[in-house]
Amino acid sequence: MFEWFYRLFLPTGNPDVTQSLITIMMAIGGGVFLGRLRVGKVSLGVSAVMFTGLLLGHFGFRIQEEILNFIRDLGLILFVYGIGIQVGPSFFSSFRKEGLRFNALAVGTVLLGGLVTYVLFRLTNLDIENLVGVMSGAVTNTPGLGAAKSTLHDIQGQHPERLFADPTIAYAITYPLGVFGIIATILLSKTVLKINPQAEMRRFRLDKIQQEEPLVDKKCRVTQPEVIGRALGEVMQSLGADKVVISRLKHSGSDAVFSPAPETELQLRDVLMVVGQEKDVDAFIAAVGRLSNDLFIESAHGVQVRNFFVTSPKATHKKLRDLDLYTRYDLKVTRIYRAGRELLARPSLELFYGDKLRVVGSVEALDAAEKLIGNSEKKLLEPDFLSLFGGLLIGIVLGSVPIFIPTLPVPLKLGFAAGPLLASLLISRYGGIGVIHSYINSGAIYFMKDLGIALFFAAVGVHAGQTFYENFIHYNGWMMMFYGMFITFIPLLIMVVVARVFMKINFLLLAGLMSGTYTDPAALAFSSSYLDSDIPTQAYATVYPLVTIVRIFVAQLLILLLV
């Protein structure tokens, strides 16, 4: 009577589609449950899916080969594309600040790990396929493993007579070492360096204020004789005040508030609302008059402030000067919010789909401008599959382009890991390509990332679990873990010394750099919880994209040069 039930849930060596799907769901469901269990402040998170898959594979559960290959590659593509879309804007902007130093440190650490792997290859009898698996697991880098497997598949196609080891086995053996090795290094370095998280937080905030001031608005009373009777635009040009925006103006003795035009003449005791970074606002006020405590200019009488989302094709990829909101609607844009950043509304700024504009003007003008800008929050909540799958298509094509390098047996490729990642970074940097835009709401991004990595871990876990125990015994898994310790700890400890002693990097940022350099979300979650701060996440996002690409190339080159 229950034969159908047993057939679905009992292990089988020749599964059909339904049995394969059941195995995938069991691996993901069981892994997510185990990933939520905590030992102290540490949890495995979504990486527990791989260990659940290993266990299922060991006890005879299988996935059809075609289905397994499909969900593995699709999961990797979704994961890296979501990462690129999420961190793209901050990734490129960070290079104008501390990002260049951070990425140089992270890339140097990655290359050092590759060098340690090469030295182990020369000193041990382990083949390079397994050593690349050891390296990928020891640094918890899933895309590197995917790139290595793809490269081995290409070489196998050209040389069918050759047999290659599956790096997934070594990856699975050393992956826990990578996760807990980074966490142990964070704990050890905090103790040895005598880190006080509260003091580091104060230091970080002070450095942040010095590096990047937020936008402020202040009221200015016009009192300087040399600006009275002159046009506002002329005054701003003569003062070089292109880094501030005058959002409102009120004449003395009047309660009428309006958005001034460049040709508006300044009168004695006019009150202006000035928006910009504090140092620029203070400089403008000092040149024009003095601070004012006038409250009428903040009143909603005649002027309102609204936030509009850019959702209309008429506004997307247009510059603010092209929209000409002041001439057409008597409106002034003061700020633009994009990917968590607050930008001053300069005329040359290009608008991206999903940008939020803060606009000042009359009720009637705001209603009219809303039709031009779009402001459809419902549209932003709906998934735009054209943009999503169009971007994925570009990433897959980009990852498939062969890069011919002399002496290598097969062309180098970005693959399913680096191709979609690079495409998503570029799309998010420029707001889109043609009809493909970069905006995906944060909930959808997290869903895509977690679904993708869960599918990938389920596939590689079940596949590796089939022969995990036999390979652990055959290849001496304890020895692989021993080798993995060198790859995990040598670059990481050198990174801590260089970053803290020579580069004087804040420890909260350093914890995120360690997690990002080893592309380890579990270590990131631990460091954020342990240090009670979200600052590690900022550093993690700064280095993750470039580190992922470099790790992919290092894994591929080791295979191509030494196989």
Side-chain angles (χ1 to χ4, degrees):
M1 180 177 178
F2 291 101
E3 290 182 2
W4 62 272
F5 184 84
Y6 298 141
R7 185 172 58 83
L8 287 179
F9 287 95
L10 288 180
T12 176
N14 187 27
D16 58 22
V17 173
T18 305
Q19 291 168 318
S20 298
L21 292 175
I22 290 289
T23 301
I24 294 169
M25 301 311 161
M26 289 171 61
I28 295 176
V32 169
F33 173 76
L34 290 176
R36 292 177 178 175
L37 302 179
R38 290 182 175 273
V39 179
K41 292 186 177 181
V42 182
S43 64
L44 289 176
V46 74
S47 59
V49 172
M50 188 185 68
F51 299 115
T52 306
L54 281 170
L55 195 63
L56 291 172
H58 175 70
F59 285 107
F61 288 90
R62 301 290 182 264
I63 301 172
Q64 272 190 15
E65 184 176 359
E66 295 80 3
I67 296 176
L68 185 143
N69 292 335
F70 172 75
I71 67 165
R72 181 194 65 206
D73 294 340
L74 177 64
L76 184 62
I77 291 168
L78 291 175
F79 175 68
V80 298
Y81 189 83
I83 286 286
I85 289 293
Q86 183 182 33
V87 307
S90 60
F91 171 71
F92 286 101
S93 65
S94 70
F95 278 91
R96 295 193 297 268
K97 305 165 194 171
E98 71 277 1
L100 191 59
R101 289 195 311 147
F102 287 179
N103 277 281
L105 177 64
V107 169
T109 305
V110 172
L111 296 178
L112 181 57
L115 178 62
V116 173
T117 305
Y118 174 77
V119 172
L120 288 172
F121 174 73
R122 292 302 182 191
L123 296 179
T124 68
N125 59 355
L126 209 60
D127 54 52
I128 194 60
E129 305 100 271
N130 279 315
L131 269 174
V132 168
V134 168
M135 179 186 73
S136 298
V139 299
T140 68
N141 185 247
T142 305
L145 172 67
K149 288 178 68 66
S150 177
T151 303
L152 285 170
H153 182 268
D154 291 342
I155 297 175
Q156 186 78 70
Q158 293 193 11
H159 303 280
E161 74 285 355
R162 300 183 63 178
L163 295 176
F164 299 105
D166 185 357
T168 305
I169 306 296
Y171 172 89
I173 290 172
T174 56
Y175 188 93
L177 170 70
V179 172
F180 295 113
I182 302 167
I183 293 173
T185 304
I186 293 173
L187 292 171
L188 177 65
S189 55
K190 177 179 178 292
T191 302
V192 172
L193 298 172
K194 300 179 180 179
I195 298 297
N196 182 337
Q198 287 73 32
E200 294 295 303
M201 175 67 77
R202 290 193 294 270
R203 177 186 161 203
F204 173 82
R205 288 174 175 168
L206 181 61
D207 291 343
K208 196 71 173 177
I209 291 173
Q210 295 173 349
Q211 291 176 8
E212 180 181 349
E213 298 180 12
L215 297 182
V216 300
D217 52 66
K218 294 185 178 183
K219 292 167 286 188
C220 170
R221 176 77 69 177
V222 178
T223 59
Q224 294 293 347
E226 55 267 26
V227 303
I228 296 172
R230 296 173 61 188
L232 176 61
E234 179 189 345
V235 171
M236 296 186 69
Q237 185 175 8
S238 65
L239 295 176
D242 59 333
K243 294 183 179 180
V244 299
V245 172
I246 311 301
S247 63
R248 308 184 191 189
L249 185 148
K250 184 184 79 69
H251 292 306
S252 179
S254 169
D255 61 357
V257 180
F258 61 95
S259 296
E263 59 270 15
T264 301
E265 289 189 0
L266 297 179
Q267 301 176 14
L268 181 63
R269 298 189 63 77
D270 278 353
V271 179
L272 311 176
M273 184 69 80
V274 189
V275 181
Q277 291 187 348
E278 190 163 23
K279 64 179 184 300
D280 300 319
V281 171
D282 290 344
F284 178 83
I285 292 175
V288 172
R290 59 176 173 79
L291 278 172
S292 170
N293 58 2
D294 189 296
L295 298 178
F296 289 103
I297 196 171
E298 299 181 39
S299 68
H301 179 67
V303 173
Q304 285 192 355
V305 179
R306 289 190 197 171
N307 293 323
F308 289 158
F309 289 98
V310 177
T311 58
S312 170
K314 297 177 183 178
T316 305
H317 293 300
K318 297 290 193 304
K319 293 183 179 179
L320 271 177
R321 70 163 69 95
D322 297 332
L323 294 183
D324 199 13
L325 292 178
Y326 184 83
T327 302
R328 298 171 67 176
Y329 303 108
D330 195 29
L331 295 174
K332 186 67 65 73
V333 181
T334 61
R335 294 174 172 89
I336 295 174
Y337 300 92
R338 174 184 300 162
R341 299 171 59 212
E342 186 180 26
L343 308 174
L344 188 67
R346 298 183 181 180
S348 60
L349 191 66
E350 182 182 355
L351 300 179
F352 294 169
Y353 185 89
D355 283 352
K356 183 169 72 173
L357 278 58
R358 178 165 292 182
V359 189
V360 179
S362 66
V363 175
E364 297 78 8
L366 289 168
D367 290 341
E370 186 173 16
K371 298 176 183 178
L372 172 67
I373 298 171
N375 198 35
S376 175
E377 293 188 56
K378 180 182 178 182
K379 190 174 180 181
L380 291 176
L381 292 174
E382 296 173 350
D384 187 344
F385 288 117
L386 175 60
S387 292
L388 174 59
F389 288 101
L392 291 174
L393 176 62
I394 293 173
I396 293 170
V397 171
L398 192 60
S400 302
V401 175
I403 304 171
F404 294 93
I405 299 178
T407 73
L408 295 184
V410 296
L412 197 65
K413 294 180 182 178
L414 292 175
F416 289 149
L421 177 62
L422 186 58
S424 59
L425 286 173
L426 294 174
I427 289 171
S428 62
R429 166 64 178 83
Y430 295 104
I433 300 174
V435 297
I436 299 170
H437 61 72
S438 62
Y439 180 83
I440 302 176
N441 68 69
S442 58
I445 290 179
Y446 281 110
F447 175 79
M448 180 167 63
K449 284 166 44 189
D450 289 349
L451 174 63
I453 198 63
L455 289 173
F456 181 87
F457 277 151
V460 299
V462 172
H463 177 69
Q466 298 177 20
T467 55
F468 179 81
Y469 178 76
E470 293 80 1
N471 280 285
F472 191 93
I473 300 300
H474 176 74
Y475 290 108
N476 195 347
W478 295 114
M479 189 58 66
M480 282 188 175
M481 295 185 72
F482 177 71
Y483 295 151
M485 289 177 60
F486 291 98
I487 302 173
T488 298
F489 289 110
I490 290 177
L492 203 54
L493 292 175
I494 292 175
M495 179 185 189
V496 171
V497 172
V498 172
R500 190 66 184 179
V501 176
F502 297 100
M503 300 177 71
K504 308 298 183 184
I505 293 176
N506 189 292
F507 187 80
L508 302 180
L509 291 170
L510 179 56
L513 286 176
M514 286 190 274
S515 303
T517 302
Y518 279 49
T519 60
D520 186 359
L524 174 65
F526 167 78
S527 59
S528 298
S529 174
Y530 180 66
L531 299 171
D532 192 23
S533 171
D534 62 350
I535 292 173
T537 305
Q538 301 175 28
Y540 181 95
T542 299
V543 300
Y544 183 93
L546 185 59
V547 159
T548 299
I549 292 173
V550 175
R551 285 207 181 277
I552 287 167
F553 278 119
V554 168
Q556 286 185 316
L557 284 173
L558 287 172
I559 292 289
L560 290 170
L561 293 173
L562 303 176
V563 73

